[in-house]
Amino acid sequence: MEPTSTTPRGRSGSLENPEVYENVPGHIIPILTREFDDFDNEAEKFLRGETPEAEFIGFRLKQGVYGQRQPNVQMIRAKVPFGGITPEQMEAYADVVEKYAPLRKAHITTRQNIQIHHVPLPDAAAAIRELGDAGISSREGCGNTVRNVTGDPWAGVCEGEPFDVTPYAGAYVRYFVRHPTTQLMPRKVKTAFNGAPEDRALTGIHDIAFLARVRDGVRGFEVRVGGGTSIMPRIAPTLYEFVGADDGEYLKVAEAVFRIFDRQDWLRVNRARARLKVFVDKYGIDELRRQVEEELKGDWVAERDFSVQHRLFLDDEEAKAPPVPEAYGTPTEDELPAYERFVASAVRPQKQAGFSTVHVHVPRGDLTPEQFRGLAAIMRDFTGGYARTTVHQNFLLRWVRDESVYDVWKRLGEIGLDQPGADEIDDVVSCPGTDSCKLGITSSMGLNQAIRERLAEMQVTDPLTRRIHIKMSGCPNGCSQHHIANIGFYGASIKVGEHTLPAYIPHIGGQYGAPKGEIAYGTRLKLRIPAKRVPDAVERWLRFYEAERQEGEPFNAFAARVGTTAFEDQVRDLAVAVEFSLENMSHFIDWSRNVPFVVQRGEGECAV
């Protein structure tokens, strides 16, 4: 049948029909096949030497393909809006990783993305096309754009939220992807949506964030602007206490902010500092509000469609939730201690009676093809149809029947993901560091593994100690969010004559996930610790805390009471530079490396 004038042409999200959105879990961003064709063509031209590298870099970054410190390979950053992902998409990742990733793994990031590393450029075009076939978009995963929009993985199933922010986060993603205002801003914009009191989306560290509020029965958001970590950590202040949600006012205000940001040519001079937080820090949130009010009087407002109804991501998970199983397993006497520990750590009831979420601990955020497929099968058999990644590099199963929790635990065990401890002390978070990043100074992933091993040896069982969060970044930029950890580190170096030690600068007393959800940045200690001694420093600080704290005193309260000098005193001997010798050679080799350490820091592409 020939299409009529009212019949949409092409599949939803195609170039011919780009504005039709299907409320299929995971399919938030329309996939435009022409973009894959363009990437194929531009990559071939670059490889033939017909396109200058600087020009090609800007092009591929918009498609989520990022350069690594290793030559001739790329990192693919696929966006996972608010962490939502389907079984079919998990299987697509498994296939792509098997075909194109030499290390046979993909990585959940602290922005709920899933990244694939070490992909040769000729394969990158095929990889993003195959991910696109499953509804996974890498569009604007990099570059000076609106990056992946993060959200609370428990949204819609937790107590205390005014409403589920998921539909509105989906509308925001759909509005700003490929938007002309947000294609070449002075720098990237990171966004978060949160509804629960705990602020699991970490709104305070974002360029712009939306917190669910209800006023006189009307849904809306508190809008915060100007947060960020890196070399100038700032906590986002409130721009507006309330803007409407269902009338699209939150989209209008966001675009006004971005239009103002986009015109700040003085920020483009130094892209390393070209963030919204720098504008807010210089002029203040009141001045930004004044400019937003003025911007909203512009002619552009009448040219836009801010309506959200056709953009909302609406998915009834409860309607697809599994029924009560006819039969289900129970732990044996031998299994009971491990199972009870898992339940206490990973399982929490949903506000919908009879269902629970299961928080899967993914060490270092890395998943193999077998684990992707195993999780996909568990999602199909035991959940409401899709799951969510978390900002701490883990994985959340939702709409699991209470009766099925044991069976889920057993199935997780078959793929090596049945260990408890998600968001506890041994769930150490790190960025890739020198494993792939051009800006990396140290092997933060290697240190992550070393600290995990030390904590396993210590067998930490004290409940207060287990609540401590440890994070490390391979450079000062803070991709692991080390600023908000109870114990955080960033990569540095120590010069010893003609030789160099890999080292870390510690932070103490950062905070996130507090009862009221407030963010706090840790205090940087005035010392550098050689990388190979960092696990010793962590152990000393934990023992110091356990020995000297008051009854029931949390770690941050203890740190505030005793002061940073006391923490420095515990490790001053560890911070003394190691003399170069054959006996000390291992100190001059970074974790998970086998050659002497050298600072090799290139120019990152984040600010290109």
Side-chain angles (χ1 to χ4, degrees):
M1 182 180 71
E2 290 295 320
T4 67
S5 60
T6 58
T7 302
R9 295 176 298 156
R11 68 178 178 85
S12 298
S14 68
L15 182 62
E16 295 79 13
N17 187 15
E19 295 303 321
V20 176
Y21 304 110
E22 290 184 307
N23 286 320
V24 177
H27 294 241
I28 307 298
I29 302 171
I31 305 296
L32 302 189
T33 55
R34 186 188 69 179
E35 292 176 350
F36 300 137
D37 296 336
D38 289 345
F39 190 91
D40 289 339
N41 295 333
E42 293 299 323
E44 289 173 2
K45 287 169 59 179
F46 170 71
L47 291 171
R48 292 196 303 264
E50 298 173 9
T51 303
E53 183 174 19
E55 181 180 325
F56 179 64
I57 287 174
F59 174 83
R60 65 168 164 75
L61 287 175
K62 282 187 185 177
Q63 299 303 328
V65 180
Y66 194 94
Q68 294 190 191
R69 68 190 295 120
Q70 297 84 1
N72 304 318
V73 294
Q74 317 292 319
M75 177 263 285
I76 295 173
R77 177 181 291 146
K79 295 172 96 170
V80 186
F82 55 81
I85 191 166
T86 68
E88 294 76 20
Q89 290 174 334
M90 296 289 283
E91 290 164 342
Y93 275 112
D95 293 342
V96 168
V97 167
E98 278 186 334
K99 289 181 184 178
Y100 306 117
L103 299 183
R104 294 191 80 256
K105 67 175 183 178
H107 178 69
I108 303 172
T109 76
T110 53
R111 295 208 50 73
Q112 295 177 286
N113 296 303
I114 295 180
Q115 295 179 172
I116 304 171
H117 293 89
H118 303 280
V119 179
L121 181 58
D123 292 337
I128 63 173
R129 189 182 291 274
E130 290 183 33
L131 292 173
D133 289 341
I136 302 166
S137 176
S138 60
R139 174 73 192 193
E140 296 162 42
C142 308
N144 301 310
T145 61
V146 174
R147 298 290 187 86
N148 192 49
V149 175
T150 59
D152 178 10
W154 281 267
V157 300
C158 64
E159 297 285 355
E161 58 180 358
F163 57 89
D164 182 1
V165 299
T166 304
Y168 303 94
Y172 176 96
V173 173
R174 289 167 167 171
Y175 185 81
F176 284 112
V177 166
R178 303 184 180 93
H179 194 289
T181 299
T182 62
Q183 296 308 291
L184 195 60
M185 294 182 288
R187 194 74 193 284
K188 60 190 173 185
V189 166
K190 297 180 178 180
T191 309
F193 280 77
N194 196 82
E198 292 85 355
D199 192 8
R200 286 179 289 257
L202 312 177
T203 57
I205 66 172
H206 283 76
D207 297 279
I208 188 166
F210 302 89
L211 293 84
R213 302 286 185 259
V214 172
R215 179 179 290 181
D216 299 327
V218 176
R219 290 182 175 186
F221 294 102
E222 176 187 341
V223 183
R224 297 178 179 177
V225 176
T229 57
S230 191
I231 58 175
M232 192 182 115
R234 294 291 186 273
I235 296 172
T238 297
L239 179 67
Y240 288 106
E241 294 287 348
F242 186 89
V243 299
D246 290 313
D247 61 359
E249 186 181 9
Y250 76 108
L251 299 178
K252 184 190 303 182
V253 167
E255 183 170 355
V257 171
F258 300 157
R259 288 172 64 88
I260 294 166
F261 180 49
D262 190 48
R263 292 198 298 267
Q264 308 307 308
D265 289 338
W266 62 276
L267 286 174
R268 298 179 189 274
V269 175
N270 181 3
R271 290 259 174 112
R273 295 178 64 85
R275 300 293 294 273
L276 266 165
K277 65 181 178 182
V278 178
F279 179 96
V280 173
D281 192 66
K282 181 175 181 177
Y283 295 112
I285 196 68
D286 292 337
E287 172 60 18
L288 176 59
R289 189 182 305 109
R290 186 196 69 78
Q291 292 194 26
V292 167
E293 297 291 343
E294 191 65 29
E295 189 71 21
L296 290 173
K297 298 175 184 177
D299 293 340
W300 66 275
V301 175
E303 300 169 359
R304 300 285 194 266
D305 172 17
F306 298 108
S307 60
V308 298
Q309 291 308 311
H310 68 294
R311 295 187 178 99
L312 292 174
F313 172 69
L314 300 172
D315 177 61
D316 189 349
E317 286 182 85
E318 187 166 9
K320 295 178 288 187
V324 175
E326 295 181 1
Y328 49 89
T330 56
T332 65
E333 186 175 348
D334 290 339
E335 292 175 325
L336 193 58
Y339 176 65
E340 288 181 340
R341 170 77 181 92
F342 176 81
V343 169
S345 168
V347 180
R348 68 172 63 179
Q350 294 185 185
K351 64 183 178 183
Q352 296 87 1
F355 294 96
S356 290
T357 59
V358 178
H359 196 180
V360 182
H361 181 185
V362 182
R364 302 198 302 180
D366 290 339
L367 290 171
T368 66
E370 293 78 14
Q371 289 172 326
F372 274 108
R373 294 192 180 101
L375 285 170
I378 292 170
M379 290 159 63
R380 285 196 181 96
D381 292 343
F382 296 105
T383 78
Y386 75 113
R388 302 202 190 188
T389 59
T390 82
V391 295
H392 303 305
Q393 304 176 324
N394 290 317
F395 200 75
L396 188 74
L397 302 172
R398 298 153 54 99
W399 296 96
V400 175
R401 280 284 177 185
D402 294 342
E403 298 87 350
S404 299
V405 169
Y406 168 78
D407 294 321
V408 168
W409 179 64
K410 291 293 289 183
R411 291 276 292 275
L412 289 171
E414 294 173 6
I415 54 175
L417 294 175
D418 61 338
Q419 293 303 303
D423 285 359
E424 295 183 357
I425 189 168
D426 27 25
D427 187 12
V428 184
V429 172
S430 61
C431 68
T434 53
D435 280 17
S436 61
C437 181
K438 291 181 179 181
L439 289 172
I441 298 172
T442 54
S443 174
S444 44
M445 293 287 268
L447 178 61
N448 183 320
Q449 184 62 33
I451 290 180
R452 285 177 181 270
E453 291 172 358
R454 178 62 62 89
L455 293 170
E457 293 171 5
M458 293 175 63
Q459 296 184 341
V460 178
T461 58
D462 177 79
L464 287 173
T465 307
R466 290 205 59 79
R467 286 162 51 184
I468 292 171
H469 299 129
I470 303 174
K471 303 174 184 285
M472 68 278 304
S473 300
C475 78
N477 286 334
C479 293
S480 78
Q481 303 164 347
H482 65 266
H483 301 78
I484 61 174
N486 301 111
I487 301 175
F489 300 94
Y490 73 81
S493 62
I494 300 173
K495 197 70 175 174
V496 182
E498 298 178 354
H499 305 280
T500 307
L501 281 167
Y504 286 86
I505 296 176
H507 291 65
I508 295 293
Q511 173 184 288
Y512 65 89
K516 293 185 179 180
E518 295 304 318
I519 294 284
Y521 291 129
T523 302
R524 188 175 72 177
L525 301 190
K526 298 176 182 178
L527 43 77
R528 298 185 180 210
I529 304 173
K532 291 296 179 69
R533 291 175 171 173
V534 170
D536 294 334
V538 170
E539 181 169 359
R540 288 189 189 183
W541 287 330
L542 297 181
R543 298 308 188 201
F544 174 49
Y545 165 61
E546 291 177 337
E548 302 293 333
R549 75 184 182 210
Q550 295 174 353
E551 181 69 24
E553 187 175 32
F555 181 85
N556 280 3
F558 170 77
R561 178 171 62 83
V562 303
T564 54
T565 301
F567 277 85
E568 293 166 351
D569 289 343
Q570 291 292 314
V571 298
R572 288 194 190 279
D573 59 315
L574 298 180
V576 175
V578 180
E579 293 298 324
F580 183 81
S581 67
L582 290 177
E583 292 78 14
N584 291 335
M585 182 64 74
S586 65
H587 288 274
F588 292 83
I589 299 173
D590 206 353
W591 290 108
S592 73
R593 300 291 185 266
N594 55 16
V595 295
F597 174 77
V598 178
V599 176
Q600 294 180 322
R601 201 169 193 223
E603 183 179 355
E605 295 181 355
C606 290
V608 170

